[in-house]
């Protein structure tokens, strides 16, 4: 930043009178000219130094207003964090030393404007400035020059490139808010340069005190999202390493009788024989004989139920693309009935059109899940344990039941993984869908039968 003690800063003698001169940023010179000038009407340098600060503020506000006309002149007086970030990005892209010097000149006068007018003079006659405003100007200058990088500076760009569900995006934003709140309370500067493994450990230790009634499982989800963000930053050389790697809050150990489980054969029979609506009955059968997740089934379209006897389920969790799954012989009647008279883009389950709000974080199957839970409980299929927020059975228990039955039928674990979309080493089912792997998957699906 330029020296702040010069008595001639922003001043030049025009004739026998002093005037204020403020350089205009290069990008605005076609609109405002190279410099803005205003006479102070005095030939006294001392008087000019007393009068100049209000004029400087007015001229710089005019420049800021020209850059963004929607901002009032009064609002434009304050130099925002966003401006500093824009300067940092411009400097990052400026490989020409002359261009970078021009940017630095703009940063200097913005910082000098933040410092404001002097509050006193020292015993040697030098101007003294407000320490808090000096600190503010220094922070601005460091941020604009890239010496400090806010922890969330690149977060929105990261989210835009993440290609994850809206609910995961919400988790990312919640994790960032928690980290920024912790930085404020812990006195840690919210900059990437200030975050180290030591701070990451402190954050994890103190995270439970920042949130109310959130389990370690939920908190670990937020830590995991920060880890993904830091890995992205590391790959872009914004940070040296991922400080969140290996960081987890200790989760209470669950005994076998506390874990969510598959339905029993008896529970499956109860659900399928109960007074369910036709759509719910079809949905449960597809789930039981495909092992597919609820949202993937509800989102099926006619075109996704192919004539060659294959479902095309949309990607779920970490699946890289649509997943193929053979249609069980016992489901052919249901599929053909639901496809009849419909166009390729029509829904297989129009009974559950999903949420209407475009910005909703809920999956299309949200209402379906609630209706299934209500029906399940109405026929007495429930398993709740003291101290557990969720019961041990839910719609996902159909998926667990399918996997269990396929294993009991002697199907290879790798083939089951292909069918249900679990991570598998080797060939990709989607690529070799016409080869022997498809036939193996058909055998796997066909090996599972509903309880008689």
């Amino acid at each position: 930043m330029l020296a702040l003690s010069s008595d001639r800063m922003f001043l030049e003698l025009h004739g026998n009178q002093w005037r204020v001169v403020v350089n205009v940023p290069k990008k605005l010179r076609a609109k405002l000219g190279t410099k803005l000038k205003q006479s102070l009407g005095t030939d006294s340098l001392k008087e000019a130094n007393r009068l100049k600060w209000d004029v400087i503020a007015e001229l710089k506000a005019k420049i800021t207003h020209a850059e963004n006309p929607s901002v009032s002149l009064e609002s434009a007086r304050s130099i925002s964090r966003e401006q500093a970030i824009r300067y940092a990005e411009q400097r990052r892209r400026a490989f020409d030393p002359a261009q970078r010097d021009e940017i630095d000149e703009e940063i200097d006068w913005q910082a000098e404007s933040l410092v404001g007018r002097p509050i006193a003079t020292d015993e040697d006659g030098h101007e003294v400035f407000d320490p808090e405003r000096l600190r503010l100007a220094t922070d601005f200058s460091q941020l604009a020059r890239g010496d400090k990088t806010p922890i969330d500076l690149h977060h929105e760009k990261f989210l835009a490139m993440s290609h994850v569900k809206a609910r995961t995006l919400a988790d990312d934003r919640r994790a960032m808010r928690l980290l920024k709140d912790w930085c404020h309370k812990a006195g840690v500067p919210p900059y990437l340069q200030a975050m180290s493994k030591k701070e990451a450990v402190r954050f994890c230790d103190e995270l439970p005190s920042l949130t109310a009634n959130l389990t370690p499982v939920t908190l670990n989800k937020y830590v995991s999202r920060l880890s993904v963000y830091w890995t992205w930053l590391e790959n872009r050389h914004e940070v040296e390493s991922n400080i969140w790697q290996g960081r987890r809050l200790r989760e209470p150990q669950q005994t076998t009788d506390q874990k969510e489980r598959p339905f029993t054969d008896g529970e499956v029979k109860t659900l399928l024989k109960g007074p369910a609506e036709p759509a719910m009955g079809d949905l449960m059968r597809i789930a039981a004989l495909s092992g597919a997740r609820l949202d993937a089934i509800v989102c099926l379209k006619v075109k996704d139920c192919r004539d060659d006897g294959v479902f095309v389920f949309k990607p779920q969790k970490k699946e890289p693309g649509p997943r193929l799954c053979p249609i069980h012989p016992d489901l052919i009647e249901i599929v053909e009935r639901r496809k009849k008279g419909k166009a390729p883009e029509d829904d297989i389950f129009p009974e559950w059109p999903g949420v209407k709000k475009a910005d909703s974080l809920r999956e299309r199957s949200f209402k379906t899940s609630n209706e299934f839970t209500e029906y399940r409980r109405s026929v007495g299929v429930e398993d709740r344990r003291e101290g557990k927020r969720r019961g041990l059975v839910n719609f996902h228990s159909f998926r667990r039941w399918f996997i269990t039955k396929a294993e009991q039928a002697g199907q290879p674990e790798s083939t089951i993984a292909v069918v249900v979309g679990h991570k598998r080493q080797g060939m990709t089912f989607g690529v070799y869908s016409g080869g022997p792997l498809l036939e193996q998957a058909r055998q796997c699906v066909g090996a599972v039968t509903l309880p008689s």
Side-chain angles (χ1 to χ4, degrees):
M1 198 164 65
L2 297 179
L4 297 173
S5 59
S6 173
D7 289 343
R8 294 174 182 261
M9 185 193 304
F10 295 109
L11 294 176
E12 72 175 16
L13 195 60
H14 182 64
N16 63 347
Q17 291 193 332
W18 292 100
R19 65 182 179 185
V20 170
V21 180
V22 174
N23 292 327
V24 175
K26 188 175 181 179
K27 58 187 174 183
L28 296 175
R29 288 175 184 174
K31 186 175 183 179
L32 298 178
T34 305
K35 298 179 179 181
L36 295 183
K37 302 178 180 181
Q38 183 170 322
S39 175
L40 294 173
T42 179
D43 59 359
S44 167
L45 179 58
K46 182 178 180 180
E47 181 67 7
N49 272 299
R50 186 183 69 82
L51 297 173
K52 70 181 180 182
W53 297 105
D54 289 338
V55 176
I56 292 170
E58 192 67 31
L59 294 180
K60 289 192 174 184
K62 184 177 180 180
I63 292 172
T64 306
H65 180 67
E67 186 176 4
N68 188 351
S70 63
V71 179
S72 66
L73 284 175
E74 185 63 29
S75 299
R77 294 181 190 276
S78 61
I79 308 302
S80 67
R81 172 178 179 266
E82 285 69 26
Q83 284 178 300
I85 291 172
R86 285 200 298 272
Y87 282 129
E89 185 62 26
Q90 290 172 9
R91 288 187 90 255
R92 188 196 306 266
R93 297 175 180 175
F95 296 104
D96 181 10
Q99 184 182 7
R100 179 165 288 198
D101 287 343
E102 289 179 359
I103 296 171
D104 287 343
E105 182 181 340
E106 294 182 28
I107 294 172
D108 282 342
W109 74 254
Q110 291 281 21
E112 290 159 358
S113 180
L114 271 177
V115 172
R117 62 195 306 166
I119 58 176
T121 55
D122 62 20
E123 57 185 14
D124 296 324
H126 297 143
E127 294 169 332
V128 177
F129 296 87
D130 185 329
E132 184 62 24
R133 293 185 67 88
L134 271 174
R135 185 195 61 79
L136 188 64
T138 301
D139 287 345
F140 170 84
S141 183
Q142 290 178 331
L143 178 56
R145 283 180 164 81
D147 299 328
K148 288 183 177 180
T149 308
I151 54 177
D152 60 345
L153 176 59
H154 305 290
H155 201 237
E156 285 302 316
K157 186 175 183 178
F158 157 74
L159 296 181
M161 299 173 65
S162 293
H163 306 297
V164 295
K165 291 184 178 180
R167 292 172 65 179
T168 304
L169 291 178
D171 289 337
D172 276 301
R173 292 192 170 96
R174 179 79 189 277
M176 181 54 65
R177 286 198 299 271
L178 287 172
L179 180 58
K180 290 170 67 176
D181 288 346
W182 176 81
C183 285
H184 176 73
K185 294 178 180 178
V188 176
Y191 302 112
L192 294 178
Q193 291 81 358
M195 297 298 298
S196 66
K197 291 183 179 180
K198 183 177 181 180
E199 275 65 47
V201 170
R202 286 182 57 197
F203 173 79
C204 291
D205 287 346
E206 298 171 16
L207 182 56
S209 65
L210 292 177
T211 54
N213 302 322
L214 291 182
T215 66
V217 174
T218 301
L219 297 180
N220 278 330
K221 178 174 59 176
Y222 297 139
V223 175
S224 176
R225 295 315 301 169
L226 290 173
S227 180
V228 174
Y229 174 49
W230 245 258
T231 296
W232 183 85
L233 291 172
E234 182 182 6
N235 290 336
R236 299 173 68 86
H237 302 286
E238 297 291 346
V239 297
E240 292 296 324
S241 62
N242 178 8
I243 62 174
W244 306 100
Q245 189 170 3
R247 306 279 171 254
R248 291 188 65 83
L249 281 73
R250 185 179 181 85
E251 299 177 10
Q253 189 172 5
Q254 289 186 328
T255 58
T256 303
D257 63 348
Q258 291 179 314
K259 295 181 179 180
E260 296 181 9
R261 60 171 178 81
F263 288 128
T264 64
D265 285 358
E267 289 169 332
V268 172
K269 285 194 289 186
T270 298
L271 290 166
L272 296 182
K273 289 185 177 181
E277 294 293 329
M280 183 62 72
D282 291 346
L283 182 78
M284 291 189 294
R285 283 170 172 80
I286 292 177
L289 294 178
S290 69
R293 294 180 173 89
L294 175 58
D295 199 62
I297 301 174
V298 173
C299 291
L300 280 172
K301 295 184 180 296
V302 170
K303 67 178 183 180
D304 299 326
C305 304
R306 297 188 341 194
D307 293 336
D308 61 352
V310 172
F311 284 126
V312 181
F313 291 118
K314 71 173 189 175
Q316 298 280 286
K317 299 293 183 178
K318 296 182 180 180
E319 293 174 356
R323 177 172 58 84
L324 307 185
C325 176
I327 298 176
H328 194 286
D330 291 350
L331 297 177
I332 293 176
E333 183 277 329
I334 293 175
V335 172
E336 293 304 318
R337 169 166 45 83
R338 288 195 160 269
K339 287 173 62 176
K340 188 175 181 179
K342 293 181 180 179
E345 292 294 333
D346 288 344
D347 292 324
I348 290 294
F349 286 99
E351 294 87 350
W352 294 293
V355 292
K356 295 181 179 180
K357 294 182 179 180
D359 59 347
S360 175
L361 300 180
R362 293 174 175 174
E363 294 180 325
R364 174 173 174 168
S365 59
F366 175 79
K367 186 177 180 181
T368 321
S369 178
N370 288 342
E371 290 183 13
F372 172 75
T373 301
E374 184 178 352
Y375 167 70
R376 173 175 58 77
R377 290 172 177 169
S378 73
V379 295
V381 177
E382 181 72 300
D383 188 354
R384 300 198 63 87
R385 303 297 168 91
E386 184 178 354
K388 292 278 291 182
R389 183 176 62 87
R390 288 163 51 107
L392 303 190
V393 292
N394 46 45
F395 194 90
H396 207 72
S397 294
F398 278 123
R399 180 174 172 85
R400 300 185 182 99
W401 180 84
F402 174 88
I403 294 172
T404 301
K405 291 301 171 182
E407 289 177 338
Q408 292 174 353
Q411 295 302 306
E413 181 180 350
S414 60
T415 306
I416 299 173
V418 166
V419 172
V420 299
H422 285 167
K423 187 175 181 181
R424 175 184 184 275
Q425 300 296 326
M427 294 184 299
T428 302
F429 184 35
V431 174
Y432 296 95
S433 58
L437 190 56
L438 177 59
E439 293 308 313
Q440 294 171 17
R442 288 192 192 279
Q443 293 175 18
C444 176
V445 170
V448 178
T449 58
L450 294 175
S452 59

